[in-house]
Amino acid sequence: MQRRQFLILSGSTLGGILLSQCASSQTRGKDASASAAVFKSQEGLLEVNLDIESHVFSFAGKQGNLLSYNQQIPGPRLEAYPGDRVRIHATNSLSAPTNLHYHGLHISPEGSADNIFLQLSPGETYTYEFTIPDNHYGTTGYYHPHLHGYVAQQVFGGLGGIFVVRGALDDIPEIQQAKEEFLFLKDFDLTAARGRSQPFHGMQMMGRDGPILTVNGQVNPQFSIPSGGLLRLRFVNASTSRFYRLQLEGHPLYLIATDAGATASPIQLSELLLSPGERAEVLIQGNAEPGQYRLLNLPYERGQMGMMGGGMMGGGMMGRRRNQRETPQTLATLNYSGETETLPLPQQLIPIETLPEPKTVRQFTLNHGMFPGRGMQFLINGQAFDPRRVDTRVSLDTVEDWEIINTGVMDHPFHLHTNPFQIMSRNGQPVTHRTWKDTVLVPRGESVRIRIPFQDFAGKTVYHCHILDHEDLGMMGIIVMNG
């Protein structure tokens, strides 16, 4: 991979409002996308009420029942700093159980923190409370439900929001001068929302995706940059299964941060691939001819599906499906507005720590199959998820290498809770630019080695595929971190 070419991120005042919602089909509510709330910590405390509800939303005249936090899609943006106390009062007004996961945060996986084994029953209110460590990295985090068996349906239905931890990257002078925009990438299927509660079998195998693509709950919103200025775009792939291969017409993307922190220096890209659960930050320079430029989602094939003898999926395919249309799709539009003194790109960002050589190396093989009486299951090391089984035990204050091997026919984004990692190699070839990640794309037929420092928090959590139908269908394991 070349520095100025294609990087797989596992180794980019918004207007055009087309989203509205109502509390019922008769009573219209406020336009959630027009003024999405932002809650920031005050005097070291971030305290928020999150109501988890179902409402009728419409996109360009098409309506469907979707799920939301505080009647907004995306949910309110939460912002905090290292050392802050966080207190979130979550009320479940759905007819099904749910919970919350703080994707990208390095906090305790137990108690009232990032405990994905908690269950909020219908009608229940629960208070999540935790402290962000003093040494926490800056990140564009992502909160969403994580109750096994319900995850894909609830995320696809609309649940999700941004959780920002501010850090040292925000204090770099060139970054401070850039205009900041958050882009929450989410697809919807209002046909499914109008009453098809269960996806087709093929949708579950590939992972469901929808034909309506939104950014911050809007179809093709507008954002602006002054001539000579800098624009900081903070992307979150909040889709259940959809990959986003991002390109901005007429502009290179300067990568400045991945899932769990800044890069050492800006990396110039022509396009940027985000698999589900991945986040990235890029800078855009306002040095093109003033006009309008589209942010595009380019075609990307993420896998095949079919059956072969013995009930297993693999070679001898009977069918295939692309992730999206053969032609680029417009996600948003960049407009030039005004002019400013030319702002330079930063030359240096945040140094990347060199991790020590590991004493333990583990292998994890990703695959899938059909099983009598159980149907389709997605597997890690030949096993589907079992909440009663511990799959991996590690010790705190150790570093391990994990080799993730995809022997299946679909790409899988592999996500580890609690502890970020660095990508060391792909298919045995060293990765040139080290970054901090918590989700890594493992394409079909390939392998990725990651290096993980297990630090600070003992307890039980999980690792899994972030195509969320695959997670619900078994591609998840339990890890226990012993102090």
Side-chain angles (χ1 to χ4, degrees):
M1 293 188 295
Q2 299 299 315
R3 184 181 181 87
R4 297 178 182 269
Q5 296 299 319
F6 177 50
L7 177 71
I8 295 178
L9 273 191
S10 30
S12 86
T13 304
L14 292 173
I17 299 164
L18 293 177
L19 174 63
S20 62
Q21 70 176 28
C22 49
S24 69
S25 58
Q26 290 78 34
T27 305
R28 298 189 64 82
K30 67 179 182 177
D31 186 340
S33 67
S35 56
V38 179
F39 293 99
K40 300 183 179 182
S41 61
Q42 301 291 328
E43 298 181 350
L45 175 65
L46 174 63
E47 187 161 15
V48 180
N49 293 323
L50 280 186
D51 294 321
I52 310 167
E53 302 172 289
S54 173
H55 288 272
V56 176
F57 288 77
S58 66
F59 295 89
K62 298 180 180 179
Q63 289 191 337
N65 286 294
L66 298 176
L67 310 181
S68 66
Y69 296 117
N70 291 6
Q71 302 183 26
Q72 299 176 5
I73 293 178
R77 188 170 82 238
L78 311 181
E79 293 198 11
Y81 289 85
D84 282 348
R85 190 73 178 165
V86 178
R87 191 176 297 137
I88 297 177
H89 309 284
T91 298
N92 181 11
S93 298
L94 304 177
S95 59
T98 189
N99 63 11
L100 285 175
H101 165 47
Y102 303 98
H103 182 126
L105 269 62
H106 179 61
I107 57 177
S108 172
E110 299 209 319
S112 61
D114 191 20
N115 186 347
I116 57 94
F117 299 102
L118 287 174
Q119 176 173 308
L120 278 68
S121 300
E124 181 181 358
T125 296
Y126 182 81
T127 297
Y128 287 88
E129 190 163 3
F130 53 88
T131 297
I132 299 174
D134 290 334
N135 63 348
H136 200 288
Y137 44 85
T139 183
T140 308
Y142 164 40
Y143 64 92
H144 64 81
H146 207 294
L147 185 61
H148 184 62
Y150 295 88
V151 184
Q153 180 180 347
Q154 293 184 354
V155 171
F156 192 61
L159 291 180
I162 294 173
F163 196 126
V164 177
V165 178
R166 295 286 180 180
L169 182 62
D170 300 281
D171 298 329
I172 293 175
E174 293 89 346
I175 304 296
Q176 288 181 326
Q177 294 181 79
K179 181 181 179 183
E180 181 180 67
E181 296 279 10
F182 293 86
L183 285 79
F184 190 85
L185 309 178
K186 184 78 178 69
D187 59 346
F188 293 96
D189 183 350
L190 293 184
T191 302
R194 284 200 298 268
R196 192 178 71 233
S197 60
Q198 296 297 324
F200 296 125
H201 184 61
M203 291 177 64
Q204 284 185 295
M205 289 195 296
M206 286 297 298
R208 69 196 84 184
D209 52 39
I212 301 173
L213 273 61
T214 69
V215 177
N216 297 346
Q218 304 169 49
V219 176
N220 190 18
Q222 312 286 311
F223 55 97
S224 65
I225 187 172
S227 291
L230 286 178
L231 180 62
R232 179 186 184 184
L233 300 180
R234 305 182 67 160
F235 290 105
V236 176
N237 184 349
S239 290
T240 307
S241 308
R242 183 177 292 276
F243 287 47
Y244 292 88
R245 184 180 160 209
L246 302 171
Q247 183 183 75
L248 181 59
E249 291 179 322
H251 296 77
L253 310 175
Y254 294 93
L255 182 73
I256 60 171
T258 54
D259 300 335
T263 58
S265 60
I267 302 171
Q268 184 175 336
L269 310 171
S270 60
E271 57 186 61
L272 170 68
L273 180 64
L274 291 180
S275 63
E278 288 189 291
R279 293 92 62 219
E281 300 183 35
V282 302
L283 288 178
I284 305 297
Q285 287 186 301
N287 55 9
E289 185 72 21
Q292 290 192 333
Y293 298 87
R294 295 177 299 167
L295 175 66
L296 298 173
N297 185 28
L298 303 179
Y300 179 79
E301 184 183 324
R302 60 182 172 86
Q304 304 169 318
M305 67 179 183
M307 303 295 296
M308 74 176 193
M312 296 297 292
M313 296 178 61
M317 306 308 298
M318 295 179 63
R320 61 191 296 140
R321 175 180 140 191
R322 287 186 181 273
N323 178 50
Q324 54 203 48
R325 299 180 180 91
E326 295 289 338
T327 57
Q329 300 163 287
T330 299
L331 295 174
T333 302
L334 173 68
N335 296 302
Y336 273 69
S337 178
E339 189 172 354
T340 187
E341 181 180 349
T342 300
L343 299 177
L345 290 169
Q347 296 303 305
Q348 299 296 323
L349 298 173
I350 310 297
I352 304 297
E353 175 188 357
T354 299
L355 297 173
E357 289 292 321
K359 294 183 178 179
T360 301
V361 178
R362 303 178 193 263
Q363 284 192 341
F364 297 82
T365 300
L366 312 180
N367 210 310
H368 38 259
M370 290 290 294
F371 296 90
R374 291 182 288 167
M376 171 60 63
Q377 298 227 285
F378 286 79
L379 313 171
I380 300 178
N381 288 344
Q383 294 183 306
F385 176 70
D386 184 339
R388 301 162 297 183
R389 183 186 69 234
V390 173
D391 300 281
T392 306
R393 293 184 183 273
V394 302
S395 298
L396 289 185
D397 302 318
T398 63
V399 173
E400 294 193 1
D401 271 12
W402 288 11
E403 188 84 12
I404 317 298
I405 305 166
N406 185 351
T407 60
V409 295
M410 308 176 202
D411 295 359
H412 293 294
F414 184 89
H415 174 50
L416 174 64
H417 288 210
T418 307
N419 292 287
F421 52 78
Q422 294 179 13
I423 302 169
M424 305 306 294
S425 65
R426 286 186 166 277
N427 303 317
Q429 300 300 310
V431 170
T432 303
H433 301 293
R434 296 284 169 81
T435 58
W436 284 106
K437 299 281 294 169
D438 54 51
T439 307
V440 57
L441 175 60
V442 188
R444 54 199 182 277
E446 298 189 16
S447 65
V448 176
R449 179 178 287 234
I450 61 177
R451 184 160 296 172
I452 313 161
F454 292 98
Q455 299 174 331
D456 302 322
F457 300 109
K460 180 174 73 170
T461 190
V462 293
Y463 48 85
H464 61 87
C465 176
H466 218 279
I467 293 176
L468 298 177
D469 280 299
H470 295 176
E471 173 197 327
D472 280 338
L473 290 171
M475 193 172 275
M476 182 161 70
I478 289 178
I479 178 173
V480 170
M481 297 165 286
N482 296 309

